[in-house]
Amino acid sequence: MLDRLILPPLPILGGERVTLRGGRDSDIEDRLPHPIDPDEEDGYGSAWRREWDGRRYHSREELTRDSGPSRPDTYDWAIEYDGNCIGGARLLVDAEQHSASYSVGVFVADLRGRGLGREVTRLVVAWAFDVVGVHRIELEVMASNRRAINCYLACGFRQEGIRRDAQLYPGGWKDFILMGLLQCEYAADKSTSGPAPSGAPSCVIGAPLDPDGRSAPQPE
């Protein structure tokens, strides 16, 4: 039997263009001016649709709603780019099973499609495998979200299956694709890729935990 993973504090992960850090009060100010994008929000799951009243913007009350105390197995990062928060990433670790589930999202529409989600994903993946020591990272993505799927494929994830008609949306039932990446696959790719790729993480372990940032499951 494997020993239970020892979970370190939330680190700061630095890449070439983005920094992953704990949340700050100013992140709310960065989020409020950006309109709600239903396509991006749909990645949270269908539940948000049932609560949405058609407003174009999030309210401060909604974004500051207390979600309870942070859990030691849940890592929530705010994505900082050019001094501002532009989205969030989350890694939920199962320390007993040496596995983790991952999600990421960018709420600034103009910054999607620039490879930022790919950089964030590679930072988190490298930290999870090299520092935490997980055996597997998995995720789910809406089958129609080709941009996100291509991002995950570029980061080494493989499609493993489809959850057919997994969630009901206003437009009907939606399929979700299951994707996963194993430590051995990550190590093999790293060993054949030569020097560390751009965006390889620099970690500050034991950084202070700020209030959680909001994460979303659609990259770039």
Side-chain angles (χ1 to χ4, degrees):
M1 294 291 291
L2 292 173
D3 292 334
R4 190 179 190 278
L5 289 174
I6 298 174
L7 301 182
L10 182 75
I12 296 172
L13 303 178
E16 285 191 346
R17 296 178 294 172
V18 301
T19 298
L20 306 187
R21 54 162 176 77
R24 299 172 182 165
D25 291 341
S26 61
D27 297 340
I28 303 299
E29 306 304 322
D30 291 334
R31 179 67 181 94
L32 285 172
H34 296 279
I36 295 173
D37 181 343
D39 291 335
E40 188 257 342
E41 296 284 345
D42 274 344
Y44 290 108
S46 60
W48 89 275
R49 284 279 191 179
R50 293 190 288 272
E51 301 173 357
W52 187 41
D53 59 7
R55 288 176 297 108
R56 189 180 177 193
Y57 291 90
H58 288 292
S59 67
R60 184 181 303 276
E61 179 184 13
E62 180 184 8
L63 295 178
T64 57
R65 187 179 301 154
D66 184 14
S67 58
S70 60
R71 294 169 39 175
D73 60 355
T74 303
Y75 295 89
D76 279 318
W77 289 277
I79 303 171
E80 183 175 309
Y81 172 80
D82 198 23
N84 297 308
C85 177
I86 63 166
R90 168 173 289 182
L91 190 74
L92 178 60
V93 179
D94 185 333
E96 299 289 346
Q97 291 295 323
H98 289 220
S99 64
S101 59
Y102 172 67
S103 62
V104 59
V106 171
F107 57 71
V108 181
D110 290 345
L111 294 179
R112 298 190 197 121
R114 299 189 184 184
L116 297 177
R118 188 177 303 184
E119 182 176 344
V120 171
T121 299
R122 286 174 172 161
L123 287 169
V124 174
V125 164
W127 180 76
F129 284 130
D130 293 338
V131 179
V132 182
V134 301
H135 173 71
R136 168 186 169 85
I137 304 174
E138 62 187 25
L139 57 88
E140 287 190 2
V141 57
M142 194 178 290
S144 59
N145 191 351
R146 290 308 313 175
R147 184 181 64 237
I149 293 169
N150 289 337
C151 167
Y152 297 135
L153 289 172
C155 294
F157 285 85
R158 301 184 185 185
Q159 181 173 332
E160 298 180 335
I162 299 177
R163 293 177 60 219
R164 299 174 300 156
D165 288 356
Q167 294 193 34
L168 180 61
Y169 286 78
W173 292 97
K174 302 296 183 182
D175 295 345
F176 278 75
I177 292 178
L178 303 174
M179 304 184 76
L181 176 61
L182 302 180
Q183 196 280 335
C184 59
E185 296 165 345
Y186 162 77
D189 181 67
K190 187 169 68 169
S191 67
T192 58
S193 61
S198 62
S202 59
C203 301
V204 181
I205 306 299
L209 288 176
D210 294 307
D212 289 339
R214 187 167 184 255
S215 63
Q218 295 190 26
E220 300 188 342

